[in-house]
């Protein structure tokens, strides 16, 4: 018998003993009795200010678009819906903190849109065929697809540990070869790509996008050269690759296929490339333009348009992908469909730095997620990442992670204090609690305005600490005085704290929905029994009060009588 059912039996038995002495206790209508008790004791929250704050935040949402270098209001392509595509991992080796920053940043973007009431379709791809995967697999004596799958699972595990919600779709490049080939055919037919042929006129397997045929090329990086950009974007532009710096770019080395003398123009880039002699036979696909495999950029165009359509709301990724990857995506996608814009808003997270140098595998100064999690909790790492605005550089250090751990512990203390307040028998509103209702709405509005100002988690988190401060002060006030907590206020505090945590993705309850429902019902039933005991004591019916206490003890519930009221806890 579950604890909830046993509590129901306890409640009905005591009800029968008090109101129908001499008659056996029955459970036939206990559900109705229980519902009546619960409804009379639970504060009814009719406050609609939370919904109004959400509506205001949705209407005022503004974000920074990389293409325009400007902050603009958000308007979805389809009312009530948001389509987001984020470049996922090339699964060549273990994930490092740079990968995870992007995943966490766009996880919060997704959570915020869902909180605003949008239906979000979130797509994050897996690049499981690539030169580096092939080369590293060969060096390690592995099959290329074996290596890709091993590290894909590592990424999935890292996402899960960091609280990154699974995407709506997570397509693999190898599962979309037909889509890529069809897309390339259309680009060729539209006159924006060319097939390289050998001396006999046979296709070699190399296909290049003809940049000279596309007058809009460069619109992502140079669309508004005179636009005024903020400090974060200036740093990103200075550190990252650009259309003017594609040669010896240490952050984004050029694909060897793009160095071919067969190109008509140095800016042309590979859509499809002939296999290297070392490429395994199962890493080659036959096409009308020769045997080979996809270039780096074409896969994201194929997969994003398959799941989100020819034009969608958001495309995200790290700042190092702005050029050439995302610039090339625009050209080949619009060159295929003729639809403009391919993407309505471009979002790019800032670099992770170590001693102000961008963290990357190529520079050898990166830290894997597994390395970091040997010393710090996953929530600490997530909180560290979100304590800085997503577009700003984030400098990595042990000290900053320790600071994030201490900050998170402060929030956890407030959460624990809330749980203690919730276990006390509640009283009505007081002068102290009345003033706090307005403060909660002020904090909610501040948090929502911060999140709707280009997803400013750093500022939003400051409102979490303000809320934690108010919780701790109120907890101290109740603990040291004779006043009982305002039950409705505590409930509102709990809901607001949980709402903030759910958006930032820390200190969330991990129970399954059914388990959460059972736990909530159990707590309410325990409160009901405790209230019955208090009523019995007030009526000087000490025998019934003792019987209720003993019944709770038998169910593993320990009561503690304090000057502030009764506290209970499960053994």
């Amino acid at each position: 018998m579950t604890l909830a059912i046993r509590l129901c039996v306890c409640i009905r038995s005591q009800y029968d003993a008090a109101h129908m002495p001499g008659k056996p206790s029955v459970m036939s209508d206990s559900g109705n009795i229980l519902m009546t008790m619960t409804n009379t004791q639970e504060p009814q929250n009719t406050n609609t200010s939370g919904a109004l704050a959400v509506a205001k935040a949705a209407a005022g949402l503004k974000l920074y678009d990389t293409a325009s270098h400007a902050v603009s209001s958000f308007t979805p392509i389809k009312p009530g819906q948001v389509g987001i595509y984020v470049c996922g991992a090339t699964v060549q080796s273990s994930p490092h903190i740079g990968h995870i920053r992007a995943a966490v940043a766009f996880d919060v973007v997704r959570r915020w849109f869902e909180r605003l009431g949008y239906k979000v379709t979130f797509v994050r791809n897996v690049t499981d065929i690539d030169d580096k995967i092939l080369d590293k697999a060969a060096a390690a004596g592995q099959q290329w697809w074996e290596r890709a799958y091993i590290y894909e699972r590592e990424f999935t595990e890292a996402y899960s540990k960091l609280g990154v919600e699974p995407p709506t779709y997570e397509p693999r490049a190898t599962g979309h070869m037909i889509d890529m080939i069809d897309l390339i055919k259309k680009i060729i037919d539209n006159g924006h790509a060319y097939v390289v042929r050998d001396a006999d006129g046979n296709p070699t397997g190399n296909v290049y996008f003809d940049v000279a045929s596309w007058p809009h090329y460069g619109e992502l990086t140079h669309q508004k050269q005179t636009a005024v950009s903020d400090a974060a974007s200036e740093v990103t532009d200075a550190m990252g690759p650009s259309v003017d710096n594609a040669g010896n770019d240490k952050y984004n080395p050029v694909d060897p296929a793009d160095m071919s003398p067969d190109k008509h123009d140095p800016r042309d880039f590979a859509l499809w490339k002939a296999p290297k002699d070392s490429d395994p036979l199962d890493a080659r696909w036959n096409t009308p333009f020769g045997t080979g495999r996809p270039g780096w950029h074409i896969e994201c165009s194929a997969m994003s348009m398959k799941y989100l359509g020819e034009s969608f709301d958001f495309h995200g990724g790290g700042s190092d992908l702005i050029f050439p990857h995302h610039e090339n995506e625009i050209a080949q996608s619009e060159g295929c469909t003729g639809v403009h814009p391919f993407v309505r808003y471009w979002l790019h997270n800032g670099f992770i730095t170590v001693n102000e140098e961008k963290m990357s595998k190529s520079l050898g100064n990166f830290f894997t997620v597994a390395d970091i999690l040997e010393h710090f909790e996953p929530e600490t790492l997530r909180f560290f990442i979100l304590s800085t605005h997503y577009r700003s550089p984030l400098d990595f250090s042990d000290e900053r992670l320790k600071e994030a751990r201490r900050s998170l512990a402060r929030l956890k203390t407030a959460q624990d204090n809330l749980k203690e307040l919730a276990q006390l028998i509640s009283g009505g509103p007081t002068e102290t609690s009345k003033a706090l209702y307005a403060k909660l709405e002020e904090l909610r509005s501040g948090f929502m305005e911060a999140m709707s100002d280009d997803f400013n988690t750093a500022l939003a988190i400051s409102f979490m600490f303000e809320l934690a401060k108010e919780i701790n002060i109120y907890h101290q006030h109740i603990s040291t005085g004779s006043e009982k907590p305002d039950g409705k206020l505590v409930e509102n505090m709990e809901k607001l704290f949980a709402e903030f945590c759910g958006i930032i993705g820390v200190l969330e309850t991990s129970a399954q929905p059914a388990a959460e429902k059972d736990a909530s019902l159990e707590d309410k039933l325990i409160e009901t029994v405790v209230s019955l005991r208090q009523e019995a004591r007030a009526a000087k019916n000490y025998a019934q009060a003792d019987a209720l206490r003993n019944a709770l003890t038998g169910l593993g519930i320990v009561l503690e009588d304090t000057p502030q009221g009764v506290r209970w806890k499960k053994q």
Side-chain angles (χ1 to χ4, degrees):
M1 185 182 294
T2 68
L3 177 58
I5 294 175
R6 293 162 72 188
L7 285 164
C8 287
V9 172
C10 174
I11 293 169
R12 183 54 191 265
S13 296
Q14 295 306 314
Y15 181 89
D16 289 347
H19 299 284
M20 293 177 286
K23 293 191 176 182
S25 175
V26 295
M27 292 294 295
S28 60
D29 61 344
S30 61
N32 292 332
I33 294 172
L34 177 60
M35 184 169 290
T36 301
M37 292 179 177
T38 303
N39 285 343
T40 56
Q41 295 192 25
E42 181 178 311
Q44 299 302 303
N45 187 359
T46 58
N47 192 344
T48 60
S49 58
L52 292 174
V54 171
K56 181 180 178 182
L61 178 60
K62 290 178 170 46
L63 50 93
Y64 181 88
D65 173 35
T66 303
S68 64
H69 274 197
V71 175
S72 57
S73 298
F74 170 65
T75 303
I77 293 175
K78 297 178 180 178
Q81 300 183 42
V82 173
I84 303 174
Y85 182 89
V86 174
C87 288
T90 299
V91 286
Q92 54 169 310
S93 54
S94 298
H96 61 65
I97 187 176
H99 297 128
I100 289 300
R101 184 183 192 187
V104 169
F106 293 109
D107 179 62
V108 171
V109 170
R110 180 228 190 121
R111 287 172 183 244
W112 184 238
F113 276 113
E114 289 177 339
R115 179 65 187 93
L116 295 182
Y118 288 96
K119 178 182 179 182
V120 179
T121 302
F122 189 94
V123 183
R124 184 183 65 223
N125 76 298
V126 176
T127 297
D128 59 344
I129 180 73
D130 175 83
D131 282 305
K132 292 180 180 179
I133 294 173
L134 295 173
D135 293 344
K136 290 184 177 183
Q142 297 171 304
Q143 299 285 351
W144 65 268
W145 42 263
E146 173 191 7
R147 184 179 186 87
Y149 187 55
I150 287 171
Y151 289 109
E152 181 184 339
R153 286 185 293 176
E154 276 200 28
F155 272 87
T156 300
E157 181 180 4
Y159 295 147
S160 178
K161 286 181 177 180
L162 271 292
V164 176
E165 296 179 347
T168 312
Y169 305 107
E170 191 167 30
R172 297 188 182 104
T174 53
H176 294 76
M177 288 297 169
I178 294 175
D179 301 287
M180 294 184 223
I181 293 168
D182 288 344
L183 195 155
I184 293 171
K185 287 179 183 177
K186 292 177 183 176
I187 298 173
I188 294 171
D189 291 343
N190 290 342
H192 298 303
Y194 54 91
V195 179
V196 176
R197 299 182 181 274
D198 62 20
D200 297 324
N202 298 314
T204 62
N206 287 316
V207 182
Y208 291 96
F209 187 88
D210 185 1
V211 172
S213 74
W214 189 251
H216 307 293
Y217 191 78
E219 67 176 7
L220 179 61
T221 47
H222 290 279
Q223 188 177 52
K224 289 188 177 181
Q225 298 186 52
T226 59
V228 177
S229 57
D230 63 11
S233 64
E234 288 175 356
V235 172
T236 294
D237 289 345
M239 294 181 64
S242 73
V243 72
D244 298 322
N245 182 27
N248 298 320
D249 183 355
K250 63 183 178 181
Y251 295 131
N252 204 355
V254 174
D255 188 324
D258 290 334
M259 302 298 291
S260 170
D262 295 324
K263 296 201 303 182
H264 294 176
D265 185 302
R267 299 173 299 168
D268 295 352
F269 56 89
L271 299 176
W272 194 263
K273 51 192 182 182
K276 298 180 295 185
D277 293 340
S278 59
D279 287 355
L281 293 178
D282 59 355
R284 310 178 186 204
W285 285 262
N286 294 322
T287 75
F289 26 88
T291 300
R293 52 189 172 84
W296 173 29
H297 316 294
I298 197 69
E299 63 182 67
C300 284
S301 290
M303 288 186 279
S304 63
M305 289 195 289
K306 175 162 185 157
Y307 294 98
L308 296 173
E310 295 177 347
S311 181
F312 53 92
D313 298 292
F314 290 101
H315 196 314
S319 295
D320 53 340
L321 299 179
I322 297 172
F323 186 88
H325 185 49
H326 291 162
E327 190 73 74
N328 292 350
E329 266 193 76
I330 294 173
Q332 65 197 12
S333 300
E334 295 184 5
C336 169
T337 66
V339 175
H340 177 82
F342 164 52
V343 171
R344 184 74 67 90
Y345 304 95
W346 288 89
L347 305 181
H348 293 93
N349 63 276
F351 295 111
I352 296 282
T353 59
V354 179
N355 297 323
E356 299 183 351
E357 182 82 301
K358 181 208 168 216
M359 183 185 297
S360 72
K361 283 188 171 73
S362 60
L363 297 179
N365 66 345
F366 68 96
F367 297 87
T368 67
V369 175
D371 291 338
I372 298 169
L373 295 187
E374 285 184 4
H375 306 284
F376 295 93
E377 305 77 18
E379 275 195 326
T380 297
L381 178 54
R382 182 182 176 103
F383 195 69
F384 162 70
I385 291 170
L386 294 175
S387 296
T388 297
H389 189 279
Y390 79 95
R391 285 193 293 116
S392 299
L394 176 60
D395 201 49
F396 178 87
S397 70
D398 276 359
E399 185 52 44
R400 289 205 63 191
L401 278 167
K402 290 175 182 177
E403 180 184 341
R405 175 188 278 165
R406 291 191 293 269
S407 296
L408 197 58
R410 287 165 52 199
L411 293 178
K412 183 65 169 64
T413 296
Q415 188 179 53
D416 291 341
N417 286 340
L418 263 181
K419 290 178 181 177
E420 286 190 17
L421 288 170
Q423 289 179 352
L424 296 174
I425 299 300
S426 64
T430 64
E431 292 303 315
T432 300
S433 69
K434 287 177 183 177
L436 284 174
Y437 282 97
K439 183 64 176 180
L440 293 187
E441 293 314 311
E442 178 186 324
L443 295 177
R444 173 185 277 113
S445 295
F447 182 95
M448 297 217 163
E449 287 174 11
M451 287 301 300
S452 284
D453 183 13
D454 195 29
F455 315 105
N456 193 341
T457 56
L459 181 57
I461 285 172
S462 72
F463 288 101
M464 293 181 71
F465 282 110
E466 282 291 317
L467 176 59
K469 177 183 175 182
E470 297 297 338
I471 291 168
N472 292 338
I473 291 173
Y474 188 64
H475 176 267
Q476 180 73 9
H477 173 73
I478 296 299
S479 298
T480 57
S482 59
E483 187 177 300
K484 292 183 178 180
D486 180 343
K488 184 177 178 182
L489 174 68
V490 172
E491 180 185 359
N492 287 357
M493 283 180 164
E494 286 184 302
K495 288 181 178 179
L496 188 59
F497 192 86
E499 181 180 1
F500 288 178
C501 289
I503 292 164
I504 299 300
V506 296
L507 302 180
E508 296 179 281
T509 55
S510 58
Q512 296 296 320
E516 290 176 356
K517 185 181 294 185
D518 287 346
S520 176
L521 177 60
E522 288 174 3
D523 289 353
K524 290 177 181 178
L525 289 170
I526 293 170
E527 294 284 358
T528 300
V529 176
V530 172
S531 295
L532 289 172
R533 175 177 175 267
Q534 292 298 94
E535 291 174 5
R537 293 181 66 187
K540 301 186 183 302
N541 190 344
Y542 298 114
Q544 185 181 1
D546 289 343
L548 285 166
R549 184 186 191 112
N550 293 337
L552 288 173
T553 301
L555 296 174
I557 311 299
V558 178
L559 300 185
E560 179 185 359
D561 292 313
T562 74
Q564 293 78 37
V566 180
R567 296 180 180 178
W568 60 266
K569 64 181 179 179
K570 296 177 183 178
Q571 287 183 319

